Amino acid sequence: MGLKRTTINDLAAKLKISKSTISKAIKGYPDVSEKTRKKILKLAKKLNYKPNSIASSLRTHQTKTIGVIVPSVVHDFFSKVIDGIIQEAENNNYLVIILQSGEQADLEEKQLNLLKNKQVDGILLSVSNETGVKERLNKVLEKGIPVVLFDKIIKSFDCSKVIIDDKKAAYDAVCYLIHKGYKRIAHFGGVLTAQNSIDRFLGYKQALIDNNIPYNPDLVYVNPNNDDINDGYLNAQKMLKEHTNIDAVFAITDLIAIGVYKYFNKINIKIPEDIAVFGFSNWLVSSVVTPKMSTVNQPSFEMGKKATEILIDEIKKMNNDIEFSFQKVVLPTSLIIREST
Amino acid sequence: MGLKRTTINDLAAKLKISKSTISKAIKGYPDVSEKTRKKILKLAKKLNYKPNSIASSLRTHQTKTIGVIVPSVVHDFFSKVIDGIIQEAENNNYLVIILQSGEQADLEEKQLNLLKNKQVDGILLSVSNETGVKERLNKVLEKGIPVVLFDKIIKSFDCSKVIIDDKKAAYDAVCYLIHKGYKRIAHFGGVLTAQNSIDRFLGYKQALIDNNIPYNPDLVYVNPNNDDINDGYLNAQKMLKEHTNIDAVFAITDLIAIGVYKYFNKINIKIPEDIAVFGFSNWLVSSVVTPKMSTVNQPSFEMGKKATEILIDEIKKMNNDIEFSFQKVVLPTSLIIREST
DNA sequence: TATTACAATTTAAACGTTTCTATTTTTCTT
DNA sequence: AAGAAAAATAGAAACGTTTAAATTGTAATA
């Protein structure tokens, strides 16, 4: 078994200096003379002393760790968000614990508790689609630890949030389609327990209304199984069975759109000549399919970075008993027009 | 500020029972009577007592946390590996800290130190491409904490490893191409500091030799910038400038192959009629491009799961001073033949 | 030179567990 | 019913820091 790590006591013993002085020297407190500080730092380096962060955490109630819960990590968008989180955290000397809820509210609740127990300094959360999430959140998070919600938020939960304007993004996309001349536009959406599904649906609807196209609920298809590609495929099939005059599909995710591609491809419907397809999120896949897919660019890395920035700021403020108010940051999106529309 | 958490002392005070008994009751030790255990558990539940894991870690030197370093999280393959890691860890009550090396050896070293300081119980690592990584690893990891290498390993580093047989997988892919009748097969590989780049190259070469096709180093292109899609594109361009009779490309990653697709597409070279393309890893993209790409299926989730399983096993053994020897697990790959070959 | 102020250092307690050892209580023998 | 053995509980130290309060040393002031 490995040698014992050097502790502050070892240094103290070797130097015959009290450990409080050692601690202060290491942490750069002003109240230790240059002479002793030099001596201490020198030996610390020589013995490769690294403060034991666990002990420090116990004493200070800070772990320099933040917890992240996302529905899934195998996800172009979330993986980029996580990239942003990890990088911003690292820049601020925080480490990141990642958990996947798999869209299950119970698991999410359990994980929240886990993180609290682990005493993370703050939590970054993109909530699951299930209902009753707010109550669960409230149960776990009776103030005391900063939480920032991102992307999949709960509107009424009182904390900082980083999102995009889903409604506007969807509105813009559908307006674009309309201005391109498409009139019978179907919407392949998500379950309406998720705020961003709701907002994207609302944007779709509003765009129709504002352009004097009657909104027809029959043209809205919800993906049933949370299995995007397959659901897109199935719904495309269903849609074509039910309607013959659709000229465009606005999908809530690129993956659903890919499913649509697959079915259209199979039965030889040409995109965009026969039916146009518009995706959402700008996953890597959207840029490599044929035809290249039009989609909504959703800042992902930036979202992770910003959410982390806010969280760390709140952690610091809370530690110093500085008042702060919750922020709501809306990141800009843009349409990426490619060949599918 | 939130209420103070309940501690073992609170329970002890309320119940007038010593905290050692409380601790034992909570942890299910046999040496406490049923009667008192019940009493303790009841109050613990009532006051929502959760043992402070930091304090426990300080005492036991266990954090129930494992550290993971991968080159990047925004990566179809690695994200799936991480999925496997997180799930297996969670099943064993471990949390996972994730760090990205960005293929930079210094950062990797720094992160290794970070994790050690954080006292993670074990480390899962997929090393960066840079040279000198072994020395750095040795420096940081003088035994004392279990490490399992996966996918991108260092052959000579003494620890458990979970990999695929890169050489064989590449060999099989190239043999397949040859049996399909392709004769002038180029290889788009990676820098030869990475073991899997080396092995895939070796497999390519061996397949040619075993099939009586002369190996021609001019047909091997290394991606220069670690920017797969673009590198694939650039090398495709370069290759066609230098050779006119290539009939197939075996790429070391799907992303490089996608780059090749892009260039071929641009200059109107038909896949597979003019030139076939074979990828590696079975990223989502490979299944949605046109034509669908033949590739090597690389178990990703399983790799993460297995590596974690081994790591946790070693952690346990080490804690109990049980001897163990390092394992080398080679996960099976398979060819996925689609339309590009 | 005594007094005061300030700088440097030390002491001691605390953070919340776990676990070894000691003590008390209960149960079992004879 | 006394003594031994076993079971249950308690005590105390330890894990490695941080920090408020106390102490010592040094320099400045009158």
Side-chain angles (χ1 to χ4, degrees), chain A residues 74 136 224 233 237 268 321 325:
Chain A
V74 185
R136 288 162 184 267
Y233 184 94
Q237 190 168 27
N268 240 325
D321 270 315
S325 48

Coordinates of all heavy atoms in Angstrom, one line a residue, chain A residues 74 136 224 233 237 268 321 325:
Chain A
V74 N -25.9 10.7 -23.4 CA -25.7 10.2 -24.8 C -26.7 11.1 -25.6 O -27.8 10.6 -26.0 CB -26.0 8.7 -25.0 CG1 -25.7 8.3 -26.4 CG2 -25.2 7.9 -24.0
R136 N -41.5 17.5 -6.0 CA -40.4 16.8 -5.6 C -39.2 17.7 -5.4 O -38.4 17.5 -4.4 CB -40.0 15.7 -6.6 CG -41.0 14.6 -6.7 CD -40.8 13.9 -8.0 NE -41.8 12.8 -8.2 CZ -41.6 11.5 -7.9 NH1 -40.4 11.2 -7.3 NH2 -42.5 10.6 -8.1
P224 N -44.7 9.2 -28.9 CA -45.2 8.5 -27.7 C -44.2 7.9 -26.8 O -44.4 7.8 -25.6 CB -46.0 7.4 -28.4 CG -45.4 7.2 -29.8 CD -44.8 8.5 -30.1
Y233 N -40.3 8.2 -37.1 CA -40.6 7.3 -38.2 C -42.1 6.9 -38.1 O -42.8 7.0 -39.1 CB -39.7 6.1 -38.0 CG -39.8 5.1 -39.1 CD1 -38.9 5.1 -40.2 CD2 -40.8 4.0 -39.1 CE1 -39.0 4.1 -41.2 CE2 -40.9 3.1 -40.1 CZ -40.0 3.1 -41.1 OH -40.1 2.2 -42.1
Q237 N -45.3 7.8 -40.7 CA -46.2 6.8 -41.2 C -47.7 7.1 -41.0 O -48.5 7.1 -41.9 CB -45.8 5.5 -40.6 CG -46.4 4.2 -41.2 CD -45.6 3.0 -40.7 OE1 -45.1 3.0 -39.6 NE2 -45.6 1.9 -41.5
N268 N -40.0 6.7 -50.5 CA -39.6 7.5 -51.7 C -40.3 8.9 -51.8 O -40.6 9.3 -52.9 CB -39.9 6.7 -52.9 CG -38.7 6.5 -53.7 OD1 -37.8 7.4 -53.7 ND2 -38.5 5.4 -54.4
D321 N -22.8 35.5 2.5 CA -24.1 36.2 3.0 C -24.4 37.4 2.2 O -24.9 38.4 2.8 CB -24.0 36.5 4.5 CG -24.4 35.3 5.3 OD1 -25.5 34.8 5.0 OD2 -23.8 34.9 6.3
S325 N -30.4 38.0 -6.4 CA -31.8 37.7 -6.9 C -31.6 36.7 -8.1 O -30.5 36.7 -8.7 CB -32.5 38.9 -7.3 OG -31.7 39.7 -8.1

